[in-house]
Amino acid sequence: MSQPTAARDGLSVGEAAREAGVSIDTLRYYEREHLLRTERTPSGHRRYSPGDLEWIAVLTCLRETGMPIRRMREFATLVGEDDDATIGARIDLLAEHREDVLRRIRELEANLAHVEGKIAYYRGRSAG
Amino acid sequence: MSQPTAARDGLSVGEAAREAGVSIDTLRYYEREHLLRTERTPSGHRRYSPGDLEWIAVLTCLRETGMPIRRMREFATLVGEDDDATIGARIDLLAEHREDVLRRIRELEANLAHVEGKIAYYRGRSAG
DNA sequence: CGTTGACCTGGACCGCGCTCCAGGTCCTAC
DNA sequence: GTAGGACCTGGAGCGCGGTCCAGGTCAACG
């Protein structure tokens, strides 16, 4: 209990989930969706390396910016090919995503202004 | 055909949908969800007034900023009560939503920086 | 050795926000 | 009067991104 699993190299799925701030089911789901591959212990338990955790952080970042799983799979495939010839494609994909995110931020800001206008309107109305 | 429906007062659901930039099904769905009430012609067809269109624009703005339907229903209920005593509650709801949106914008911006970092990394790798 | 808890799999299920469909009505134009 | 198109209803279906469950295995502890 003092050093629960530090000696094994790699974290269990439960530990990795806690570290990464996602659910165990999400990690397994990502694997089914081919966003992630993991080593297994001889008995079939998943083991997560520090590199895996970094990759999960990348996935989480893409998800939080609204990238669909389908698109994340494309990216994961490019990265998984581990071929420098795919680097251009990776940049293109990320750059396109960047534009999407910027567009969405601008949309949010525009709509936010309307919400604020509405708030101001109600404040005026309640003040009489 | 030259003045299709301008003489009737109020737009048909198809016309309103086109004006508002949403689908006919969405308008009917919003009505089922009690976000919207509409007048009906004697034969039961929906009629949308300019005020209805303004309200639809508000709903669309809230949706585009990610407000769940459930919450929109709360707001619609407050507005529908048409009682100045609910104005404080409307302000509170919108102000809370405003905070949510601001939070999400900040999150997006933070994650965007990571995406940009990744792009820069790949650019370096492909140049180097 | 038995118990306990974390893990495995395949597959069903969920909440969300629509979207589509069948079967019917209604209105206009020819 | 009949053809066409827009409308009505209730309810099923969909894509997404997980989430949950049953039934079984594995690992560490006492």
Side-chain angles (χ1 to χ4, degrees):
Chain A
M1 269 308 185
S2 49
Q3 285 277 72
T5 49
R8 282 184 332 231
D9 81 345
L11 302 181
S12 71
V13 68
E15 291 159 346
R18 199 173 336 107
E19 280 301 292
V22 300
S23 77
I24 291 175
D25 274 312
T26 294
L27 288 180
R28 296 204 271 236
Y29 169 64
Y30 282 3
E31 205 168 327
R32 273 205 292 285
E33 294 296 323
H34 307 292
L35 304 183
L36 190 56
R37 271 157 301 128
T38 57
E39 295 298 317
R40 298 296 182 110
T41 64
S43 64
H45 288 201
R46 292 170 177 83
R47 293 282 84 146
Y48 294 82
S49 69
D52 291 336
L53 288 179
E54 281 171 38
W55 176 240
I56 293 167
V58 171
L59 293 177
T60 300
C61 168
L62 295 178
R63 268 305 298 141
E64 284 180 350
T65 45
M67 185 183 284
I69 298 291
R70 180 178 3 99
R71 195 111 174 97
M72 287 168 65
R73 184 158 46 232
E74 289 176 39
F75 186 59
T77 303
L78 290 172
V79 173
E81 281 170 9
D82 199 21
D83 176 354
D84 279 9
T86 70
I87 288 182
R90 298 183 210 179
I91 292 173
D92 290 350
L93 192 153
L94 292 180
E96 203 173 307
H97 182 56
R98 185 186 111 95
E99 290 310 311
D100 290 346
V101 176
L102 281 171
R103 214 173 352 262
R104 287 191 24 249
I105 289 173
R106 282 193 295 266
E107 260 178 45
L108 282 175
E109 283 170 343
N111 281 315
L112 188 60
H114 291 136
V115 172
E116 286 170 344
K118 203 82 181 158
I119 292 173
Y121 163 72
Y122 281 131
R123 289 223 162 101
R125 228 178 102 173
S126 76
Chain B
M1 271 307 186
S2 47
Q3 285 275 72
T5 49
R8 282 185 330 234
D9 81 344
L11 301 181
S12 72
V13 67
E15 291 159 346
R18 200 174 334 107
E19 281 301 291
V22 300
S23 76
I24 291 175
D25 274 313
T26 295
L27 289 182
R28 297 204 270 235
Y29 169 64
Y30 283 2
E31 206 169 323
R32 273 204 291 283
E33 294 296 324
H34 307 292
L35 304 183
L36 190 55
R37 273 157 300 129
T38 57
E39 296 297 318
R40 298 298 181 109
T41 63
S43 63
H45 287 201
R46 293 171 177 82
R47 291 282 87 144
Y48 294 81
S49 70
D52 290 337
L53 288 179
E54 279 171 38
W55 176 241
I56 293 167
V58 171
L59 293 177
T60 300
C61 170
L62 296 178
R63 267 307 299 140
E64 284 179 353
T65 45
M67 184 183 286
I69 297 293
R70 179 179 4 97
R71 196 112 175 93
M72 287 168 63
R73 185 160 41 233
E74 289 176 39
F75 185 58
T77 302
L78 290 172
V79 172
E81 281 168 11
D82 199 21
D83 175 355
D84 279 10
T86 70
I87 288 182
R90 298 183 209 179
I91 292 172
D92 291 350
L93 193 152
L94 292 180
E96 202 173 305
H97 182 55
R98 186 186 110 95
E99 290 310 310
D100 289 347
V101 177
L102 281 171
R103 213 173 355 260
R104 289 190 23 248
I105 289 173
R106 283 194 295 268
E107 261 180 46
L108 281 175
E109 282 169 345
N111 281 315
L112 188 61
H114 292 136
V115 172
E116 286 171 343
K118 204 79 182 160
I119 292 173
Y121 163 72
Y122 280 133
R123 289 224 162 101
R125 227 178 103 175
S126 76

